[in-house]
Amino acid sequence: MLAVAVLAAGKGTRMKSSLPKVLQPLAGATLVERVLACCNRLQPEKRLLIVGHQADKVEQQLSHLEGLEFVLQQPQNGTGHAVQQLLPALEGFDGELLVLNGDVPLLRPATIEQLLNTHRSTGADVTVLTACLADPTGYGRVFADQQGRVSAIVEHRDCNEQQRLNSLTNAGIYCFNWRSLEKVLPLLDSDNDQGELYLTDTVAMLPLAVHHEVADPAEVNGINDRRQLAQCESLLQQRLRDHWMKEGVTFIDPSSCTLSEDCKFGLDVVIEPQTHLRGHCQIGSGCQIGPGSLLINADLGERVTVLHSVIREAKIGDDVAIGPFAHLRPGSELADHCRIGNFVEVKASQIGEGSKVNHLSYIGDAELGRDVNVGAGTITANYDGKNKHRTVIGDGSKTGANSVLVAPIVLGSNVTVGAGSTLTKNVSDGSLAISRAKQMIKEGWSALKNTQD
Ligand code: UD1
Ligand code: CA
């Protein structure tokens, strides 16, 4: 039997934030979601989250996770006090308890499996995950012998100068035999610099404590402040980019680009500098994205080019060219071979195959057929001050420069709209629609004007 408990009750004072520390985001997921996710593979019988500071907010944020039990720690009197709160919830439980600090988001699932293996093969009462850090400042120091037996963990602030030279640090991840731990938990005291109950003190009370050292110390980075948050973000981004480079994606200037874990790429995608992909993005083979683009929940077909543009919640077919300086907003759907050019905004609109909106346009709540050519500066006037209305343009139609299509309006197929027209009525197939004042010419007007002055 395996139970997992994540400690997420602390305030995170050093973060200086109105958000509880474990809800700080990192590459699109909160710290605590990342810690919980790395235990999924183990399929524990019980999953417990210890909440306290802004407990409601944390519970609300994680309410979508099935089978997660929330245990309240009030007040928050240290990590040992947090685990004491499990005593009622785990009464009669006979198995292993994996305890994870909620602020260690880079941990790999394989590392936890190795920790469990060490725990099982040594028959220890507790196995502590450790790392040798170049700069162990702030971490608890682990005192162990050559055989890996741990005698004590001393917090950085409680260490003397000699003890601080020890670079073997506590990662804040432990596997306990619950039966052994439940006996010593009530014996903890607060005789330390912070006056708190420390979970780490149980190690010296248990008959056999051992440690398992991680191969990659970067995995156990704990996040206490914004500087560490930024360092972890950059490590995570590097991991994501390295993964996709192995899968056939080119990054021209990798460190200037960011991704989320829910991005998927085909082969031979080129990501140009200063390009950011967030949420669920699906990018087909041969796409070229950037420089200077932001994509959020975007679904791109193959060979799409995106230059200096923003795309959010849009679906784009194959061989589409976007930008520079286009803005595709939620609900935009572009079929194959479309072209969305400079300073064009598209929202909640379907654009048919081969259609072009090349310059300075707003297309909102519209449905464009195939091979439509939208002239420079064409605007769909979709909002009457109260409601939004639709514009429909049939196959092969063309709008002249600076047309305003006042919705609701339907233009049939092969319609031509004269430049500068403001249309308020439907136009039938094959018609020319012009609506503008007739041009007037007054010959010799300048000369006449001068004699009058
Ligand atoms: C802790 C360890 C330290 C280790 C480090 C690794 C202790 C005493 N120290 O220190 O040895 O090197 O993690 O990152 O355990 N929490 C609660 N309730 C509380 C206090 C904290 O749930 O009353 C939670 C926090 O939300 C956090 C985790 O426990 O997720 C760790 O707390 P934190 O204050 O960050 O401990 P550190 O000082 O980093
Ligand atoms: Ca910490």
Side-chain angles (χ1 to χ4, degrees):
M1 291 264 270
L2 177 70
V4 167
V6 176
L7 307 190
K11 181 175 176 204
T13 313
R14 291 164 277 185
M15 198 59 83
K16 302 219 166 85
S17 173
S18 57
L19 204 61
K21 177 168 72 174
V22 293
L23 293 188
Q24 294 287 342
L26 198 62
T30 62
L31 301 188
V32 64
E33 281 169 312
R34 290 187 173 280
V35 174
L36 284 164
C38 64
C39 302
N40 285 347
R41 252 178 30 192
L42 303 170
Q43 300 187 309
E45 270 76 30
K46 262 180 171 302
R47 290 199 303 158
L48 303 138
L49 189 74
I50 299 166
V51 292
H53 176 72
Q54 294 195 33
D56 292 351
K57 214 170 185 172
V58 179
E59 285 189 38
Q60 195 187 353
Q61 175 84 24
L62 299 175
S63 57
H64 63 284
L65 296 176
E66 268 175 44
L68 185 62
E69 274 176 62
F70 297 97
V71 175
L72 192 65
Q73 181 200 11
Q74 207 67 272
Q76 294 84 47
N77 194 23
T79 50
H81 180 247
V83 176
Q84 280 180 348
Q85 311 311 306
L86 297 176
L87 283 163
L90 290 179
E91 204 184 337
F93 176 74
D94 191 6
E96 292 151 337
L97 174 68
L98 192 64
V99 176
L100 300 102
N101 281 357
D103 60 355
V104 189
L106 300 188
L107 204 63
R108 290 190 170 92
T111 304
I112 302 182
E113 284 166 12
Q114 287 157 11
L115 176 76
L116 276 173
N117 288 342
T118 305
H119 185 73
R120 287 169 187 164
S121 64
T122 54
D125 298 287
V126 59
T127 307
V128 182
L129 190 69
T130 56
C132 260
L133 299 185
D135 178 14
T137 309
Y139 289 89
R141 304 299 204 283
V142 178
F143 294 89
D145 66 16
Q146 296 289 336
Q147 283 70 46
R149 289 176 75 121
V150 176
S151 54
I153 301 178
V154 184
E155 288 308 293
H156 179 90
R157 54 203 304 163
D158 297 308
C159 280
N160 60 36
E161 271 184 32
Q162 185 64 30
Q163 289 171 315
R164 282 190 185 167
L165 298 176
N166 176 6
S167 62
L168 190 67
T169 57
N170 169 25
I173 316 290
Y174 323 78
C175 186
F176 291 97
N177 282 353
W178 172 249
R179 286 275 189 229
S180 314
L181 180 64
E182 69 177 349
K183 288 195 201 99
V184 300
L185 272 178
L187 309 177
L188 288 173
D189 64 37
S190 54
D191 183 16
N192 53 56
D193 189 52
Q194 292 195 97
E196 291 184 347
L197 302 180
Y198 285 170
L199 179 63
T200 44
D201 286 348
T202 61
V203 164
M205 300 170 168
L206 290 165
L208 180 59
V210 301
H211 74 103
H212 174 87
E213 192 183 326
V214 284
D216 174 11
E219 265 185 68
V220 302
N221 270 316
I223 296 185
N224 297 321
D225 56 30
R226 307 264 181 175
R227 192 180 57 89
Q228 288 166 325
L229 188 68
Q231 279 166 352
C232 282
E233 178 81 44
S234 115
L235 277 165
L236 202 58
Q237 289 298 338
Q238 202 177 326
R239 269 193 203 173
L240 287 169
R241 291 186 304 256
D242 287 352
H243 167 80
W244 285 110
M245 284 192 253
K246 275 195 206 122
E247 296 295 318
V249 175
T250 294
F251 285 86
I252 304 295
D253 179 16
S255 64
S256 75
C257 298
T258 59
L259 307 178
S260 90
E261 262 146 355
D262 297 317
C263 293
K264 304 262 179 298
F265 300 87
L267 293 182
D268 296 314
V269 170
V270 177
I271 308 288
E272 299 263 9
Q274 298 291 352
T275 293
H276 307 279
L277 290 92
R278 299 185 186 154
H280 291 260
C281 285
Q282 179 85 39
I283 311 296
S285 296
C287 285
Q288 176 143 2
I289 322 278
S293 294
L294 171 65
L295 276 64
I296 304 169
N297 299 328
D299 184 345
L300 273 56
E302 301 190 345
R303 298 171 301 280
V304 174
T305 61
V306 179
L307 177 58
H308 282 295
S309 292
V310 176
I311 304 179
R312 187 190 288 262
E313 274 138 58
K315 188 167 164 38
I316 290 147
D318 298 338
D319 302 292
V320 172
I322 296 163
F325 313 114
H327 185 188
L328 303 190
R329 292 171 50 202
S332 300
E333 286 176 32
L334 277 53
D336 300 346
H337 301 284
C338 281
R339 167 96 186 86
I340 303 296
N342 326 257
F343 308 106
V344 171
E345 176 179 345
V346 180
K347 185 215 76 168
S349 296
Q350 293 78 48
I351 301 195
E353 192 175 336
S355 291
K356 297 183 173 64
V357 190
N358 271 332
H359 333 267
L360 303 157
S361 280
Y362 172 63
I363 303 295
D365 302 302
E367 186 186 325
L368 275 58
R370 301 168 65 111
D371 299 315
V372 171
N373 197 325
V374 175
T378 296
I379 305 290
T380 56
N382 59 334
Y383 186 49
D384 63 10
K386 261 196 193 149
N387 297 308
K388 302 275 169 69
H389 301 283
R390 287 191 72 74
T391 299
V392 178
I393 307 180
D395 297 346
S397 291
K398 297 180 180 60
T399 66
N402 216 23
S403 308
V404 179
L405 309 176
V406 182
I409 189 166
V410 178
L411 274 54
S413 57
N414 297 311
V415 161
T416 301
V417 178
S421 297
T422 296
L423 301 189
T424 54
K425 296 196 189 88
N426 293 350
V427 182
S428 56
D429 294 353
S431 305
L432 166 69
I434 308 180
S435 126
R436 61 185 183 221
K438 275 229 158 79
Q439 184 168 326
M440 215 163 58
I441 303 207
K442 297 196 173 179
E443 278 175 15
W445 181 80
S446 296
L448 197 63
K449 190 167 172 280
N450 288 341
T451 57
Q452 284 172 354
D453 283 346

